């Protein structure tokens, strides 16, 4: 299990525990459960990279302590 951090621009910071084999879509569902928003509305970014739902965290080389930027569409 790894722990990643998700920050939105409004100051909300959420820590999520997940497996490296989870997809970005699975991670969005975990974030939605903690923040109370619908997972379809969540967009995860880092700089100019937008992460796609069907690719795993391992494929994106996301590791312990990684920090995502959380946006809503």
């Amino acid at each position: 299990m790894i722990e990643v951090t998700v920050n939105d621009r409004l100051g909300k910071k959420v820590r999520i525990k997940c497996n490296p084999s989870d997809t970005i879509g699975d991670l969005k569902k975990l974030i939605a459960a903690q923040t109370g928003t619908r997972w379809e509305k969540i967009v995860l970014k880092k700089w100019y990279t937008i992460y796609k739902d069907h690719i795993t965290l391992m494929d994106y080389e996301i590791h312990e302590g990684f920090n995502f930027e959380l946006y809503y569409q």
Side-chain angles (χ1 to χ4, degrees):
M1 299 262 317
I2 61 172
E3 184 176 77
V4 296
T5 306
V6 181
N7 285 329
D8 70 356
R9 293 296 182 201
L10 302 174
K12 185 183 288 185
K13 189 173 192 176
V14 181
R15 297 166 111 191
I16 306 288
K17 289 201 179 278
C18 54
N19 293 315
S21 58
D22 288 348
T23 63
I24 295 293
D26 296 336
L27 179 62
K28 285 182 180 181
K29 289 174 186 169
L30 292 171
I31 294 167
Q34 284 198 11
T35 60
T37 52
R38 293 180 34 212
W39 74 271
E40 299 95 348
K41 298 282 185 187
I42 293 174
V43 178
L44 294 176
K45 293 183 182 181
K46 181 73 172 189
W47 289 90
Y48 296 106
T49 305
I50 298 175
Y51 293 95
K52 307 219 181 304
D53 289 351
H54 64 282
I55 300 176
T56 65
L57 302 178
M58 197 179 334
D59 291 339
Y60 273 125
E61 297 180 2
I62 292 169
H63 47 80
E64 177 77 25
F66 194 85
N67 191 15
F68 284 105
E69 298 166 4
L70 176 62
Y71 295 91
Y72 304 105
Q73 66 179 13

PDB file of all heavy atoms in Angstrom, residues 5-12 14 24 28 31-32 35 37-51 53 67-73:
ATOM      1  N   THR A   5      -1.135  12.079  -1.656  1.00  0.00           N
ATOM      2  CA  THR A   5      -1.806  13.271  -1.157  1.00  0.00           C
ATOM      3  C   THR A   5      -2.466  13.986  -2.321  1.00  0.00           C
ATOM      4  O   THR A   5      -1.888  14.075  -3.406  1.00  0.00           O
ATOM      5  CB  THR A   5      -0.789  14.212  -0.480  1.00  0.00           C
ATOM      6  OG1 THR A   5      -0.090  13.484   0.510  1.00  0.00           O
ATOM      7  CG2 THR A   5      -1.484  15.392   0.165  1.00  0.00           C
ATOM      8  N   VAL A   6      -3.671  14.490  -2.077  1.00  0.00           N
ATOM      9  CA  VAL A   6      -4.413  15.208  -3.102  1.00  0.00           C
ATOM     10  C   VAL A   6      -4.765  16.592  -2.559  1.00  0.00           C
ATOM     11  O   VAL A   6      -5.389  16.707  -1.512  1.00  0.00           O
ATOM     12  CB  VAL A   6      -5.702  14.440  -3.484  1.00  0.00           C
ATOM     13  CG1 VAL A   6      -6.459  15.163  -4.564  1.00  0.00           C
ATOM     14  CG2 VAL A   6      -5.375  13.030  -3.921  1.00  0.00           C
ATOM     15  N   ASN A   7      -4.343  17.633  -3.270  1.00  0.00           N
ATOM     16  CA  ASN A   7      -4.630  19.022  -2.886  1.00  0.00           C
ATOM     17  C   ASN A   7      -5.529  19.655  -3.931  1.00  0.00           C
ATOM     18  O   ASN A   7      -5.274  19.517  -5.128  1.00  0.00           O
ATOM     19  CB  ASN A   7      -3.349  19.863  -2.853  1.00  0.00           C
ATOM     20  CG  ASN A   7      -2.492  19.572  -1.660  1.00  0.00           C
ATOM     21  OD1 ASN A   7      -2.995  19.236  -0.609  1.00  0.00           O
ATOM     22  ND2 ASN A   7      -1.200  19.692  -1.837  1.00  0.00           N
ATOM     23  N   ASP A   8      -6.565  20.373  -3.474  1.00  0.00           N
ATOM     24  CA  ASP A   8      -7.282  21.216  -4.419  1.00  0.00           C
ATOM     25  C   ASP A   8      -6.858  22.660  -4.179  1.00  0.00           C
ATOM     26  O   ASP A   8      -6.097  22.950  -3.262  1.00  0.00           O
ATOM     27  CB  ASP A   8      -8.800  21.035  -4.340  1.00  0.00           C
ATOM     28  CG  ASP A   8      -9.421  21.581  -3.072  1.00  0.00           C
ATOM     29  OD1 ASP A   8      -8.680  22.042  -2.194  1.00  0.00           O
ATOM     30  OD2 ASP A   8     -10.649  21.514  -2.960  1.00  0.00           O
ATOM     31  N   ARG A   9      -7.279  23.556  -5.009  1.00  0.00           N
ATOM     32  CA  ARG A   9      -6.833  24.940  -4.930  1.00  0.00           C
ATOM     33  C   ARG A   9      -7.529  25.725  -3.820  1.00  0.00           C
ATOM     34  O   ARG A   9      -7.187  26.863  -3.576  1.00  0.00           O
ATOM     35  CB  ARG A   9      -7.059  25.638  -6.273  1.00  0.00           C
ATOM     36  CG  ARG A   9      -6.189  25.090  -7.366  1.00  0.00           C
ATOM     37  CD  ARG A   9      -4.752  25.343  -7.036  1.00  0.00           C
ATOM     38  NE  ARG A   9      -3.865  24.886  -8.080  1.00  0.00           N
ATOM     39  CZ  ARG A   9      -2.603  24.629  -7.878  1.00  0.00           C
ATOM     40  NH1 ARG A   9      -2.079  24.752  -6.680  1.00  0.00           N
ATOM     41  NH2 ARG A   9      -1.837  24.240  -8.867  1.00  0.00           N
ATOM     42  N   LEU A  10      -8.480  25.099  -3.146  1.00  0.00           N
ATOM     43  CA  LEU A  10      -9.212  25.777  -2.082  1.00  0.00           C
ATOM     44  C   LEU A  10      -8.664  25.448  -0.695  1.00  0.00           C
ATOM     45  O   LEU A  10      -9.229  25.845   0.307  1.00  0.00           O
ATOM     46  CB  LEU A  10     -10.699  25.409  -2.159  1.00  0.00           C
ATOM     47  CG  LEU A  10     -11.373  25.736  -3.491  1.00  0.00           C
ATOM     48  CD1 LEU A  10     -12.782  25.198  -3.514  1.00  0.00           C
ATOM     49  CD2 LEU A  10     -11.363  27.233  -3.729  1.00  0.00           C
ATOM     50  N   GLY A  11      -7.573  24.707  -0.641  1.00  0.00           N
ATOM     51  CA  GLY A  11      -6.954  24.403   0.628  1.00  0.00           C
ATOM     52  C   GLY A  11      -7.305  23.047   1.209  1.00  0.00           C
ATOM     53  O   GLY A  11      -6.830  22.685   2.276  1.00  0.00           O
ATOM     54  N   LYS A  12      -8.136  22.272   0.524  1.00  0.00           N
ATOM     55  CA  LYS A  12      -8.491  20.934   1.012  1.00  0.00           C
ATOM     56  C   LYS A  12      -7.366  19.968   0.663  1.00  0.00           C
ATOM     57  O   LYS A  12      -6.905  19.917  -0.470  1.00  0.00           O
ATOM     58  CB  LYS A  12      -9.801  20.477   0.367  1.00  0.00           C
ATOM     59  CG  LYS A  12     -10.298  19.149   0.925  1.00  0.00           C
ATOM     60  CD  LYS A  12     -11.552  18.701   0.228  1.00  0.00           C
ATOM     61  CE  LYS A  12     -12.718  19.560   0.649  1.00  0.00           C
ATOM     62  NZ  LYS A  12     -13.978  19.072   0.063  1.00  0.00           N
ATOM     63  N   VAL A  14      -6.242  15.919   1.119  1.00  0.00           N
ATOM     64  CA  VAL A  14      -6.737  14.586   1.442  1.00  0.00           C
ATOM     65  C   VAL A  14      -5.605  13.581   1.236  1.00  0.00           C
ATOM     66  O   VAL A  14      -4.908  13.635   0.225  1.00  0.00           O
ATOM     67  CB  VAL A  14      -7.939  14.217   0.535  1.00  0.00           C
ATOM     68  CG1 VAL A  14      -8.477  12.850   0.890  1.00  0.00           C
ATOM     69  CG2 VAL A  14      -9.024  15.249   0.631  1.00  0.00           C
ATOM     70  N   ILE A  24      -6.267   4.923 -11.994  1.00  0.00           N
ATOM     71  CA  ILE A  24      -6.586   6.297 -11.625  1.00  0.00           C
ATOM     72  C   ILE A  24      -8.083   6.411 -11.325  1.00  0.00           C
ATOM     73  O   ILE A  24      -8.492   7.127 -10.416  1.00  0.00           O
ATOM     74  CB  ILE A  24      -6.160   7.272 -12.741  1.00  0.00           C
ATOM     75  CG1 ILE A  24      -4.629   7.274 -12.901  1.00  0.00           C
ATOM     76  CG2 ILE A  24      -6.653   8.684 -12.468  1.00  0.00           C
ATOM     77  CD1 ILE A  24      -3.858   7.844 -11.736  1.00  0.00           C
ATOM     78  N   LYS A  28      -9.809   7.865  -7.968  1.00  0.00           N
ATOM     79  CA  LYS A  28     -10.831   8.914  -7.973  1.00  0.00           C
ATOM     80  C   LYS A  28     -12.036   8.507  -7.128  1.00  0.00           C
ATOM     81  O   LYS A  28     -12.624   9.336  -6.442  1.00  0.00           O
ATOM     82  CB  LYS A  28     -11.289   9.219  -9.394  1.00  0.00           C
ATOM     83  CG  LYS A  28     -10.298  10.023 -10.202  1.00  0.00           C
ATOM     84  CD  LYS A  28     -10.870  10.317 -11.570  1.00  0.00           C
ATOM     85  CE  LYS A  28      -9.927  11.108 -12.423  1.00  0.00           C
ATOM     86  NZ  LYS A  28     -10.499  11.419 -13.736  1.00  0.00           N
ATOM     87  N   ILE A  31     -11.091   9.018  -3.535  1.00  0.00           N
ATOM     88  CA  ILE A  31     -11.108  10.456  -3.233  1.00  0.00           C
ATOM     89  C   ILE A  31     -12.551  10.934  -3.077  1.00  0.00           C
ATOM     90  O   ILE A  31     -12.870  11.687  -2.158  1.00  0.00           O
ATOM     91  CB  ILE A  31     -10.382  11.253  -4.335  1.00  0.00           C
ATOM     92  CG1 ILE A  31      -8.895  10.900  -4.354  1.00  0.00           C
ATOM     93  CG2 ILE A  31     -10.576  12.751  -4.141  1.00  0.00           C
ATOM     94  CD1 ILE A  31      -8.167  11.379  -5.585  1.00  0.00           C
ATOM     95  N   ALA A  32     -13.427  10.483  -3.974  1.00  0.00           N
ATOM     96  CA  ALA A  32     -14.837  10.886  -3.921  1.00  0.00           C
ATOM     97  C   ALA A  32     -15.487  10.439  -2.614  1.00  0.00           C
ATOM     98  O   ALA A  32     -16.299  11.165  -2.043  1.00  0.00           O
ATOM     99  CB  ALA A  32     -15.588  10.311  -5.116  1.00  0.00           C
ATOM    100  N   THR A  35     -14.198  12.999   0.016  1.00  0.00           N
ATOM    101  CA  THR A  35     -14.528  14.416  -0.151  1.00  0.00           C
ATOM    102  C   THR A  35     -16.016  14.667  -0.336  1.00  0.00           C
ATOM    103  O   THR A  35     -16.468  15.793  -0.175  1.00  0.00           O
ATOM    104  CB  THR A  35     -13.784  15.015  -1.358  1.00  0.00           C
ATOM    105  OG1 THR A  35     -14.165  14.310  -2.540  1.00  0.00           O
ATOM    106  CG2 THR A  35     -12.285  14.961  -1.157  1.00  0.00           C
ATOM    107  N   THR A  37     -17.660  14.332  -3.233  1.00  0.00           N
ATOM    108  CA  THR A  37     -17.987  14.732  -4.601  1.00  0.00           C
ATOM    109  C   THR A  37     -18.127  13.494  -5.475  1.00  0.00           C
ATOM    110  O   THR A  37     -17.667  12.418  -5.102  1.00  0.00           O
ATOM    111  CB  THR A  37     -16.885  15.629  -5.204  1.00  0.00           C
ATOM    112  OG1 THR A  37     -15.633  14.970  -5.045  1.00  0.00           O
ATOM    113  CG2 THR A  37     -16.840  16.976  -4.537  1.00  0.00           C
ATOM    114  N   ARG A  38     -18.759  13.649  -6.625  1.00  0.00           N
ATOM    115  CA  ARG A  38     -18.903  12.510  -7.543  1.00  0.00           C
ATOM    116  C   ARG A  38     -17.577  12.268  -8.255  1.00  0.00           C
ATOM    117  O   ARG A  38     -16.906  13.210  -8.671  1.00  0.00           O
ATOM    118  CB  ARG A  38     -20.006  12.798  -8.551  1.00  0.00           C
ATOM    119  CG  ARG A  38     -21.356  12.862  -7.857  1.00  0.00           C
ATOM    120  CD  ARG A  38     -22.510  13.141  -8.773  1.00  0.00           C
ATOM    121  NE  ARG A  38     -22.385  12.571 -10.081  1.00  0.00           N
ATOM    122  CZ  ARG A  38     -22.894  13.138 -11.179  1.00  0.00           C
ATOM    123  NH1 ARG A  38     -23.543  14.274 -11.090  1.00  0.00           N
ATOM    124  NH2 ARG A  38     -22.769  12.565 -12.343  1.00  0.00           N
ATOM    125  N   TRP A  39     -17.191  10.995  -8.397  1.00  0.00           N
ATOM    126  CA  TRP A  39     -15.876  10.682  -8.944  1.00  0.00           C
ATOM    127  C   TRP A  39     -15.762  11.079 -10.411  1.00  0.00           C
ATOM    128  O   TRP A  39     -14.666  11.349 -10.896  1.00  0.00           O
ATOM    129  CB  TRP A  39     -15.527   9.207  -8.734  1.00  0.00           C
ATOM    130  CG  TRP A  39     -16.254   8.244  -9.610  1.00  0.00           C
ATOM    131  CD1 TRP A  39     -17.450   7.658  -9.360  1.00  0.00           C
ATOM    132  CD2 TRP A  39     -15.831   7.760 -10.884  1.00  0.00           C
ATOM    133  NE1 TRP A  39     -17.795   6.836 -10.389  1.00  0.00           N
ATOM    134  CE2 TRP A  39     -16.816   6.881 -11.349  1.00  0.00           C
ATOM    135  CE3 TRP A  39     -14.702   8.000 -11.676  1.00  0.00           C
ATOM    136  CZ2 TRP A  39     -16.718   6.225 -12.573  1.00  0.00           C
ATOM    137  CZ3 TRP A  39     -14.593   7.352 -12.894  1.00  0.00           C
ATOM    138  CH2 TRP A  39     -15.603   6.468 -13.335  1.00  0.00           C
ATOM    139  N   GLU A  40     -16.895  11.156 -11.119  1.00  0.00           N
ATOM    140  CA  GLU A  40     -16.850  11.540 -12.532  1.00  0.00           C
ATOM    141  C   GLU A  40     -16.447  13.001 -12.704  1.00  0.00           C
ATOM    142  O   GLU A  40     -15.961  13.393 -13.760  1.00  0.00           O
ATOM    143  CB  GLU A  40     -18.211  11.332 -13.206  1.00  0.00           C
ATOM    144  CG  GLU A  40     -18.693   9.899 -13.208  1.00  0.00           C
ATOM    145  CD  GLU A  40     -19.618   9.599 -12.033  1.00  0.00           C
ATOM    146  OE1 GLU A  40     -19.707  10.411 -11.097  1.00  0.00           O
ATOM    147  OE2 GLU A  40     -20.238   8.529 -12.046  1.00  0.00           O
ATOM    148  N   LYS A  41     -16.644  13.811 -11.676  1.00  0.00           N
ATOM    149  CA  LYS A  41     -16.336  15.243 -11.737  1.00  0.00           C
ATOM    150  C   LYS A  41     -14.884  15.556 -11.379  1.00  0.00           C
ATOM    151  O   LYS A  41     -14.442  16.692 -11.523  1.00  0.00           O
ATOM    152  CB  LYS A  41     -17.247  16.022 -10.776  1.00  0.00           C
ATOM    153  CG  LYS A  41     -18.709  15.911 -11.107  1.00  0.00           C
ATOM    154  CD  LYS A  41     -19.040  16.817 -12.250  1.00  0.00           C
ATOM    155  CE  LYS A  41     -20.528  16.827 -12.528  1.00  0.00           C
ATOM    156  NZ  LYS A  41     -20.828  17.561 -13.731  1.00  0.00           N
ATOM    157  N   ILE A  42     -14.134  14.563 -10.895  1.00  0.00           N
ATOM    158  CA  ILE A  42     -12.769  14.786 -10.422  1.00  0.00           C
ATOM    159  C   ILE A  42     -11.781  14.682 -11.578  1.00  0.00           C
ATOM    160  O   ILE A  42     -11.850  13.765 -12.393  1.00  0.00           O
ATOM    161  CB  ILE A  42     -12.420  13.776  -9.317  1.00  0.00           C
ATOM    162  CG1 ILE A  42     -13.272  14.045  -8.083  1.00  0.00           C
ATOM    163  CG2 ILE A  42     -10.937  13.808  -8.974  1.00  0.00           C
ATOM    164  CD1 ILE A  42     -13.113  13.023  -6.985  1.00  0.00           C
ATOM    165  N   VAL A  43     -10.858  15.637 -11.642  1.00  0.00           N
ATOM    166  CA  VAL A  43      -9.752  15.616 -12.607  1.00  0.00           C
ATOM    167  C   VAL A  43      -8.460  15.691 -11.803  1.00  0.00           C
ATOM    168  O   VAL A  43      -8.286  16.599 -11.000  1.00  0.00           O
ATOM    169  CB  VAL A  43      -9.828  16.807 -13.588  1.00  0.00           C
ATOM    170  CG1 VAL A  43      -8.652  16.788 -14.548  1.00  0.00           C
ATOM    171  CG2 VAL A  43     -11.139  16.804 -14.340  1.00  0.00           C
ATOM    172  N   LEU A  44      -7.567  14.722 -12.013  1.00  0.00           N
ATOM    173  CA  LEU A  44      -6.279  14.710 -11.318  1.00  0.00           C
ATOM    174  C   LEU A  44      -5.193  15.192 -12.264  1.00  0.00           C
ATOM    175  O   LEU A  44      -5.082  14.692 -13.390  1.00  0.00           O
ATOM    176  CB  LEU A  44      -5.950  13.309 -10.816  1.00  0.00           C
ATOM    177  CG  LEU A  44      -6.878  12.758  -9.737  1.00  0.00           C
ATOM    178  CD1 LEU A  44      -6.488  11.328  -9.394  1.00  0.00           C
ATOM    179  CD2 LEU A  44      -6.848  13.621  -8.506  1.00  0.00           C
ATOM    180  N   LYS A  45      -4.408  16.157 -11.807  1.00  0.00           N
ATOM    181  CA  LYS A  45      -3.340  16.722 -12.624  1.00  0.00           C
ATOM    182  C   LYS A  45      -2.062  16.821 -11.805  1.00  0.00           C
ATOM    183  O   LYS A  45      -2.089  16.815 -10.584  1.00  0.00           O
ATOM    184  CB  LYS A  45      -3.687  18.142 -13.088  1.00  0.00           C
ATOM    185  CG  LYS A  45      -4.824  18.248 -14.057  1.00  0.00           C
ATOM    186  CD  LYS A  45      -4.995  19.691 -14.483  1.00  0.00           C
ATOM    187  CE  LYS A  45      -6.156  19.873 -15.415  1.00  0.00           C
ATOM    188  NZ  LYS A  45      -6.306  21.271 -15.834  1.00  0.00           N
ATOM    189  N   LYS A  46      -0.963  16.945 -12.510  1.00  0.00           N
ATOM    190  CA  LYS A  46       0.323  17.304 -11.924  1.00  0.00           C
ATOM    191  C   LYS A  46       1.026  18.126 -12.986  1.00  0.00           C
ATOM    192  O   LYS A  46       1.327  17.625 -14.060  1.00  0.00           O
ATOM    193  CB  LYS A  46       1.128  16.053 -11.572  1.00  0.00           C
ATOM    194  CG  LYS A  46       2.460  16.333 -10.943  1.00  0.00           C
ATOM    195  CD  LYS A  46       2.299  16.820  -9.534  1.00  0.00           C
ATOM    196  CE  LYS A  46       3.654  16.895  -8.859  1.00  0.00           C
ATOM    197  NZ  LYS A  46       3.520  17.159  -7.444  1.00  0.00           N
ATOM    198  N   TRP A  47       1.231  19.404 -12.701  1.00  0.00           N
ATOM    199  CA  TRP A  47       1.697  20.373 -13.690  1.00  0.00           C
ATOM    200  C   TRP A  47       0.744  20.363 -14.869  1.00  0.00           C
ATOM    201  O   TRP A  47      -0.409  20.703 -14.718  1.00  0.00           O
ATOM    202  CB  TRP A  47       3.142  20.103 -14.089  1.00  0.00           C
ATOM    203  CG  TRP A  47       4.083  20.445 -12.989  1.00  0.00           C
ATOM    204  CD1 TRP A  47       4.513  19.611 -11.997  1.00  0.00           C
ATOM    205  CD2 TRP A  47       4.678  21.715 -12.720  1.00  0.00           C
ATOM    206  NE1 TRP A  47       5.345  20.293 -11.135  1.00  0.00           N
ATOM    207  CE2 TRP A  47       5.465  21.577 -11.566  1.00  0.00           C
ATOM    208  CE3 TRP A  47       4.625  22.949 -13.357  1.00  0.00           C
ATOM    209  CZ2 TRP A  47       6.184  22.631 -11.034  1.00  0.00           C
ATOM    210  CZ3 TRP A  47       5.344  23.993 -12.823  1.00  0.00           C
ATOM    211  CH2 TRP A  47       6.109  23.823 -11.680  1.00  0.00           C
ATOM    212  N   TYR A  48       1.204  19.933 -16.034  1.00  0.00           N
ATOM    213  CA  TYR A  48       0.324  19.940 -17.212  1.00  0.00           C
ATOM    214  C   TYR A  48      -0.111  18.536 -17.608  1.00  0.00           C
ATOM    215  O   TYR A  48      -0.702  18.358 -18.662  1.00  0.00           O
ATOM    216  CB  TYR A  48       1.008  20.642 -18.379  1.00  0.00           C
ATOM    217  CG  TYR A  48       1.251  22.096 -18.091  1.00  0.00           C
ATOM    218  CD1 TYR A  48       2.513  22.573 -17.806  1.00  0.00           C
ATOM    219  CD2 TYR A  48       0.180  22.991 -18.071  1.00  0.00           C
ATOM    220  CE1 TYR A  48       2.721  23.914 -17.515  1.00  0.00           C
ATOM    221  CE2 TYR A  48       0.377  24.329 -17.789  1.00  0.00           C
ATOM    222  CZ  TYR A  48       1.651  24.787 -17.512  1.00  0.00           C
ATOM    223  OH  TYR A  48       1.838  26.111 -17.223  1.00  0.00           O
ATOM    224  N   THR A  49       0.167  17.546 -16.787  1.00  0.00           N
ATOM    225  CA  THR A  49      -0.225  16.171 -17.075  1.00  0.00           C
ATOM    226  C   THR A  49      -1.601  15.901 -16.482  1.00  0.00           C
ATOM    227  O   THR A  49      -1.807  16.080 -15.289  1.00  0.00           O
ATOM    228  CB  THR A  49       0.788  15.187 -16.470  1.00  0.00           C
ATOM    229  OG1 THR A  49       2.088  15.500 -16.950  1.00  0.00           O
ATOM    230  CG2 THR A  49       0.430  13.751 -16.810  1.00  0.00           C
ATOM    231  N   ILE A  50      -2.539  15.486 -17.321  1.00  0.00           N
ATOM    232  CA  ILE A  50      -3.857  15.057 -16.850  1.00  0.00           C
ATOM    233  C   ILE A  50      -3.847  13.527 -16.852  1.00  0.00           C
ATOM    234  O   ILE A  50      -3.570  12.907 -17.875  1.00  0.00           O
ATOM    235  CB  ILE A  50      -4.977  15.594 -17.762  1.00  0.00           C
ATOM    236  CG1 ILE A  50      -4.967  17.120 -17.738  1.00  0.00           C
ATOM    237  CG2 ILE A  50      -6.330  15.046 -17.324  1.00  0.00           C
ATOM    238  CD1 ILE A  50      -5.953  17.760 -18.685  1.00  0.00           C
ATOM    239  N   TYR A  51      -4.140  12.933 -15.707  1.00  0.00           N
ATOM    240  CA  TYR A  51      -4.083  11.482 -15.569  1.00  0.00           C
ATOM    241  C   TYR A  51      -5.367  10.831 -16.060  1.00  0.00           C
ATOM    242  O   TYR A  51      -6.452  11.259 -15.710  1.00  0.00           O
ATOM    243  CB  TYR A  51      -3.798  11.121 -14.108  1.00  0.00           C
ATOM    244  CG  TYR A  51      -2.413  11.553 -13.687  1.00  0.00           C
ATOM    245  CD1 TYR A  51      -2.200  12.761 -13.046  1.00  0.00           C
ATOM    246  CD2 TYR A  51      -1.315  10.758 -13.975  1.00  0.00           C
ATOM    247  CE1 TYR A  51      -0.927  13.167 -12.685  1.00  0.00           C
ATOM    248  CE2 TYR A  51      -0.037  11.153 -13.622  1.00  0.00           C
ATOM    249  CZ  TYR A  51       0.150  12.361 -12.980  1.00  0.00           C
ATOM    250  OH  TYR A  51       1.409  12.763 -12.643  1.00  0.00           O
ATOM    251  N   ASP A  53      -8.165   7.709 -16.589  1.00  0.00           N
ATOM    252  CA  ASP A  53      -8.803   6.791 -15.647  1.00  0.00           C
ATOM    253  C   ASP A  53      -8.372   5.326 -15.772  1.00  0.00           C
ATOM    254  O   ASP A  53      -8.349   4.609 -14.787  1.00  0.00           O
ATOM    255  CB  ASP A  53     -10.323   6.850 -15.799  1.00  0.00           C
ATOM    256  CG  ASP A  53     -10.910   8.147 -15.289  1.00  0.00           C
ATOM    257  OD1 ASP A  53     -10.172   8.933 -14.663  1.00  0.00           O
ATOM    258  OD2 ASP A  53     -12.103   8.375 -15.519  1.00  0.00           O
ATOM    259  N   ASN A  67       2.094  13.700  -4.843  1.00  0.00           N
ATOM    260  CA  ASN A  67       1.142  14.778  -4.606  1.00  0.00           C
ATOM    261  C   ASN A  67       0.388  15.112  -5.901  1.00  0.00           C
ATOM    262  O   ASN A  67       1.018  15.500  -6.881  1.00  0.00           O
ATOM    263  CB  ASN A  67       1.898  16.006  -4.092  1.00  0.00           C
ATOM    264  CG  ASN A  67       0.983  17.069  -3.585  1.00  0.00           C
ATOM    265  OD1 ASN A  67      -0.194  16.827  -3.354  1.00  0.00           O
ATOM    266  ND2 ASN A  67       1.509  18.251  -3.409  1.00  0.00           N
ATOM    267  N   PHE A  68      -0.933  14.940  -5.887  1.00  0.00           N
ATOM    268  CA  PHE A  68      -1.782  15.274  -7.034  1.00  0.00           C
ATOM    269  C   PHE A  68      -2.424  16.640  -6.832  1.00  0.00           C
ATOM    270  O   PHE A  68      -2.635  17.068  -5.698  1.00  0.00           O
ATOM    271  CB  PHE A  68      -2.936  14.261  -7.176  1.00  0.00           C
ATOM    272  CG  PHE A  68      -2.541  12.936  -7.735  1.00  0.00           C
ATOM    273  CD1 PHE A  68      -2.442  11.849  -6.911  1.00  0.00           C
ATOM    274  CD2 PHE A  68      -2.313  12.770  -9.087  1.00  0.00           C
ATOM    275  CE1 PHE A  68      -2.098  10.598  -7.422  1.00  0.00           C
ATOM    276  CE2 PHE A  68      -1.979  11.551  -9.603  1.00  0.00           C
ATOM    277  CZ  PHE A  68      -1.868  10.454  -8.766  1.00  0.00           C
ATOM    278  N   GLU A  69      -2.763  17.288  -7.922  1.00  0.00           N
ATOM    279  CA  GLU A  69      -3.593  18.487  -7.894  1.00  0.00           C
ATOM    280  C   GLU A  69      -5.015  18.073  -8.259  1.00  0.00           C
ATOM    281  O   GLU A  69      -5.215  17.396  -9.258  1.00  0.00           O
ATOM    282  CB  GLU A  69      -3.075  19.537  -8.875  1.00  0.00           C
ATOM    283  CG  GLU A  69      -1.682  20.013  -8.548  1.00  0.00           C
ATOM    284  CD  GLU A  69      -1.046  20.776  -9.691  1.00  0.00           C
ATOM    285  OE1 GLU A  69      -1.708  21.003 -10.719  1.00  0.00           O
ATOM    286  OE2 GLU A  69       0.140  21.107  -9.551  1.00  0.00           O
ATOM    287  N   LEU A  70      -5.983  18.477  -7.452  1.00  0.00           N
ATOM    288  CA  LEU A  70      -7.378  18.070  -7.634  1.00  0.00           C
ATOM    289  C   LEU A  70      -8.172  19.216  -8.248  1.00  0.00           C
ATOM    290  O   LEU A  70      -8.180  20.321  -7.721  1.00  0.00           O
ATOM    291  CB  LEU A  70      -7.971  17.680  -6.277  1.00  0.00           C
ATOM    292  CG  LEU A  70      -9.444  17.319  -6.211  1.00  0.00           C
ATOM    293  CD1 LEU A  70      -9.743  16.095  -7.050  1.00  0.00           C
ATOM    294  CD2 LEU A  70      -9.863  17.086  -4.774  1.00  0.00           C
ATOM    295  N   TYR A  71      -8.795  18.939  -9.368  1.00  0.00           N
ATOM    296  CA  TYR A  71      -9.675  19.908 -10.039  1.00  0.00           C
ATOM    297  C   TYR A  71     -11.039  19.274 -10.233  1.00  0.00           C
ATOM    298  O   TYR A  71     -11.169  18.055 -10.263  1.00  0.00           O
ATOM    299  CB  TYR A  71      -9.099  20.334 -11.403  1.00  0.00           C
ATOM    300  CG  TYR A  71      -7.812  21.084 -11.296  1.00  0.00           C
ATOM    301  CD1 TYR A  71      -6.586  20.423 -11.323  1.00  0.00           C
ATOM    302  CD2 TYR A  71      -7.796  22.463 -11.176  1.00  0.00           C
ATOM    303  CE1 TYR A  71      -5.398  21.123 -11.210  1.00  0.00           C
ATOM    304  CE2 TYR A  71      -6.616  23.175 -11.076  1.00  0.00           C
ATOM    305  CZ  TYR A  71      -5.419  22.495 -11.102  1.00  0.00           C
ATOM    306  OH  TYR A  71      -4.249  23.188 -10.991  1.00  0.00           O
ATOM    307  N   TYR A  72     -12.044  20.111 -10.385  1.00  0.00           N
ATOM    308  CA  TYR A  72     -13.411  19.633 -10.642  1.00  0.00           C
ATOM    309  C   TYR A  72     -13.840  20.121 -12.007  1.00  0.00           C
ATOM    310  O   TYR A  72     -13.581  21.257 -12.372  1.00  0.00           O
ATOM    311  CB  TYR A  72     -14.365  20.179  -9.567  1.00  0.00           C
ATOM    312  CG  TYR A  72     -13.942  19.843  -8.166  1.00  0.00           C
ATOM    313  CD1 TYR A  72     -13.369  20.806  -7.344  1.00  0.00           C
ATOM    314  CD2 TYR A  72     -14.104  18.570  -7.675  1.00  0.00           C
ATOM    315  CE1 TYR A  72     -12.989  20.499  -6.058  1.00  0.00           C
ATOM    316  CE2 TYR A  72     -13.711  18.251  -6.379  1.00  0.00           C
ATOM    317  CZ  TYR A  72     -13.141  19.223  -5.585  1.00  0.00           C
ATOM    318  OH  TYR A  72     -12.752  18.913  -4.304  1.00  0.00           O
ATOM    319  N   GLN A  73     -14.520  19.262 -12.766  1.00  0.00           N
ATOM    320  CA  GLN A  73     -15.007  19.681 -14.088  1.00  0.00           C
ATOM    321  C   GLN A  73     -16.499  19.820 -14.103  1.00  0.00           C
ATOM    322  O   GLN A  73     -17.195  19.307 -13.310  1.00  0.00           O
ATOM    323  CB  GLN A  73     -14.564  18.724 -15.161  1.00  0.00           C
ATOM    324  CG  GLN A  73     -15.160  17.339 -15.056  1.00  0.00           C
ATOM    325  CD  GLN A  73     -14.690  16.437 -16.179  1.00  0.00           C
ATOM    326  OE1 GLN A  73     -13.769  16.759 -16.883  1.00  0.00           O
ATOM    327  NE2 GLN A  73     -15.337  15.325 -16.346  1.00  0.00           N
TER     328      GLN A  73
END
